[in-house]
Amino acid sequence: MADLSINFAGIKSMNPFWLASGPPTNSGYQVQRAFEAGWGGAVWKTLGDPIVNVTSRFSALHYNGQRVAGFNNIELITDRPLDVNLREIAETKKKFPKQVIIASLMVEPVQEKWHEIVKKVEDVGVDGLELNFGCPHGMAERGMGSASGQVPELVEKQTSWAKEAAETPVIVKLTPNITDITATAYAASQGGADAISLINTINSLMGIDLDTWNTIPNVAGKGTHGGYCGPAVKPIALSMVGECARQTDSNIPISGIGGIGTWRDAAEFMLMGATGLQVCTAAMHHGFRIVEDMIDGLNNYLDEKGLASVMDLVGRSVPKYRDWGDLDLNHRVVARINQDQCIHCNKCHIACEDGAHQCIEMYTDKNGKPALKVREEDCVGCNLCSIVCPVDGAIDMIEKPGEEPMTWNERQALLNTL
Amino acid sequence: MHEYKIFLKEKKQIDELMEQGCQIVSVKENLNGAFVQFRPIDEEALDQVNTLRLLTPDSRKYFTNQLRLKRQVKN
Ligand SMILES: Cc1cc2nc3c(=O)[nH]c(=O)nc-3n(C[C@H](O)[C@H](O)[C@H](O)COP(=O)(O)O)c2cc1C
């Protein structure tokens, strides 16, 4: 059994799995049950001046039979008074001293307000703080959440105010609703952040009801943009984590969030530079006990890989994540159809004809049966045929020997010598 | 359209010029393709410039690989 414990910016956690700030961390009752189920930590539902929520708040994208491929919410931060939350945090910490509790905080961009709330939450024994600069709806209209998280100067300033008062590590939670997330990651580190976490939810509108023309969800016929999360956002989150991880001017620890629901997702985020992980939608969809599979799966994977500690995974894929200009132009793969597996649905032919490079030909084989083959010389190796193929293993992408590697950057440098 | 056939044609043109002792002296790439200028190494024929307009991405890769190869041989 591998060692799953992590040290995240000085916070020691028995495993990398934390619940992200959201409905599952709304109360002591829930967080305590989560800890019983095996979660290593929880980021409490964001604390701040209590708000009023609307109904309904959630909607989901069900895609071709998969429930909750994406999830959208217009919920705000906690609607419970600070002292109630603090009492429950203290109780929970007392019952579960080994598990990590992080207080997520959101106040107006005023120095005294940050000092005040930091002191209050640290007094009840939290292990760290997470500054919520990410919530894209409601709070943003009040100058908080993503409204301040989109302005690097405000991120830096507010981080430094929190740091002035903080004795525990400060994690800055970043909004993905920005063109270049490394700009705010950098601002957070300049403000003294001990770590960053990403991503919060992505601006979204789930849909329109074609009978009533109301938005989905709607509140008495009116809607507003929400925050998108769940499996659909994982590729976006992973790339943003990768972009932050490969910044050479900062090696700030990263807590990866966004669409994590399995041990595989977890391992991918860690390989791409996340030391810790946070989960919201998957816990809302499947309950706290999904962490059992995540722990078992990650353990088995580490054993298979011969790794003693989960920390050995962190960042291993980062050097492989590069600018386009560093990719080898001479690398060549082509599609090959395995005739014994092909079910002759012709999806690859249609996709190649209409959406790619017209190199999959239909022919009649020697037994008079229809068959398909790739004209390899015209195949650009785009993968489209293997992506649309409904049968695993019917189309392989084969590597072809080519010239010595040459990247675009090397090519341009060579041409510049002429 | 079988783009490979166009590439083969372009490759042949590049190979022929190189076999004749020409070297690539300038490359201009713009919206209309890559314009690659070849000139004989032979001092006496220096004014004989040939410009190929190459249309396919494979040709753009090919002449760059050839250019590198020639440089490697030289050094
Ligand atoms: C209903 C809901 C409420 C949320 N509330 C908060 C919040 O109060 N504070 C916060 O920082 N993030 C909040 N989030 C964002 C999550 O913490 C997380 O960043 C996001 O959902 C992406 O992770 P996931 O794909 O695992 O859900 C909320 C998410 C959902 C779905």
Side-chain angles (χ1 to χ4, degrees), chain A residues 20-23 45-46 58 71 73 75-78 104 130 132 173 199-201 229-231 233 257-260 278-282 284:
Chain A
S21 181
K45 176 75 185 167
T46 302
F58 302 157
F71 192 84
N73 85 90
E75 174 178 300
L76 304 184
I77 62 172
T78 185
S104 168
E130 186 178 80
N132 178 352
K173 184 166 181 179
I199 56 173
N200 208 309
T201 52
C229 49
V233 309
I257 321 171
I260 299 173
Q278 297 186 33
V279 177
C280 182
T281 305
M284 292 174 74

Side-chain angles (χ1 to χ4, degrees), chain A residues 49-374:
Chain A
D49 288 336
I51 51 75
V52 182
N53 268 311
V54 290
T55 68
S56 59
R57 304 169 204 176
F58 302 157
S59 54
L61 181 82
H62 309 305
Y63 198 76
N64 268 350
Q66 184 188 343
R67 304 286 300 175
V68 196
F71 192 84
N72 162 290
N73 85 90
I74 55 170
E75 174 178 300
L76 304 184
I77 62 172
T78 185
D79 56 7
R80 304 184 325 142
L82 186 64
D83 62 332
V84 175
N85 277 303
L86 293 182
R87 198 174 59 237
E88 292 181 17
I89 291 175
E91 271 169 26
T92 310
K93 195 65 212 166
K94 208 166 151 207
K95 279 194 193 157
F96 294 88
K98 288 198 187 121
Q99 278 81 352
V100 173
I101 297 183
I102 305 291
S104 168
L105 307 176
M106 185 192 286
V107 290
E108 286 162 49
V110 175
Q111 188 177 20
E112 295 72 41
K113 295 227 172 202
W114 280 105
H115 285 183
E116 184 193 355
I117 196 155
V118 164
K119 284 191 189 119
K120 282 188 170 157
V121 296
E122 285 197 337
D123 279 350
V124 296
V126 294
D127 299 284
L129 312 168
E130 186 178 80
L131 316 186
N132 178 352
F133 296 148
C135 188
H137 44 265
M139 306 310 291
E141 290 165 28
R142 302 169 205 181
M144 292 176 269
S146 66
S148 53
Q150 286 161 339
V151 184
E153 292 76 15
L154 277 178
V155 170
E156 182 176 339
K157 195 92 243 134
Q158 294 183 94
T159 306
S160 71
W161 290 337
K163 278 295 286 182
E164 282 164 6
E167 288 180 0
T168 60
V170 170
I171 307 162
V172 172
K173 184 166 181 179
L174 302 175
T175 176
N177 299 309
I178 184 164
T179 312
D180 177 6
I181 201 158
T182 64
T184 42
Y186 183 71
S189 73
Q190 290 298 98
D194 299 285
I196 50 175
S197 54
L198 59 149
I199 56 173
N200 208 309
T201 52
I202 302 173
N203 281 338
S204 62
L205 172 59
M206 190 52 78
I208 305 290
D209 184 312
L210 291 180
D211 292 324
T212 61
W213 303 352
N214 282 334
T215 61
I216 303 171
N218 76 85
V219 179
K222 290 196 197 114
T224 189
H225 77 270
Y228 202 44
C229 49
V233 309
K234 185 191 127 188
I236 299 165
L238 196 57
S239 100
M240 289 187 167
V241 165
E243 291 302 335
C244 290
R246 75 193 189 104
Q247 287 307 302
T248 46
D249 50 3
S250 149
N251 52 5
I252 194 163
I254 299 171
S255 178
I257 321 171
I260 299 173
T262 65
W263 69 265
R264 289 176 171 277
D265 301 329
E268 289 177 42
F269 272 83
M270 296 192 92
L271 287 165
M272 200 33 97
T275 308
L277 306 162
Q278 297 186 33
V279 177
C280 182
T281 305
M284 292 174 74
H285 187 184
H286 303 294
F288 292 140
R289 292 192 59 185
I290 51 156
V291 76
E292 293 170 11
D293 283 348
M294 289 170 138
I295 290 172
D296 283 353
L298 194 56
N299 239 320
N300 293 340
Y301 175 67
L302 292 170
D303 287 349
E304 259 171 44
K305 288 275 168 201
L307 297 175
S309 160
V310 74
M311 292 293 280
D312 295 338
L313 281 184
V314 177
R316 296 291 278 271
S317 297
V318 177
K320 294 169 183 270
Y321 192 50
R322 307 292 289 266
D323 288 340
W324 193 93
D326 294 330
L327 306 183
D328 177 14
L329 298 172
N330 284 333
H331 178 73
R332 183 160 146 73
V333 292
V334 295
R336 189 164 296 167
I337 298 170
N338 299 318
Q339 300 300 341
D340 45 346
Q341 313 237 17
C342 174
I343 56 167
H344 310 296
C345 68
N346 294 340
K347 275 208 95 85
C348 60
H349 170 77
I350 295 165
C352 190
E353 282 295 302
D354 296 359
H357 284 75
Q358 301 83 45
C359 67
I360 298 185
E361 284 176 357
M362 293 166 124
Y363 70 103
T364 309
D365 72 11
K366 55 181 184 307
N367 302 318
K369 290 214 176 108
L372 294 156
K373 74 164 183 270
V374 178

Side-chain angles (χ1 to χ4, degrees), chain A residues 328 330-332 399-405, chain B residues 65:
Chain A
D328 177 14
N330 284 333
H331 178 73
R332 183 160 146 73
E399 252 186 70
K400 301 290 271 188
E403 298 284 336
E404 254 179 69
Chain B
N65 284 326

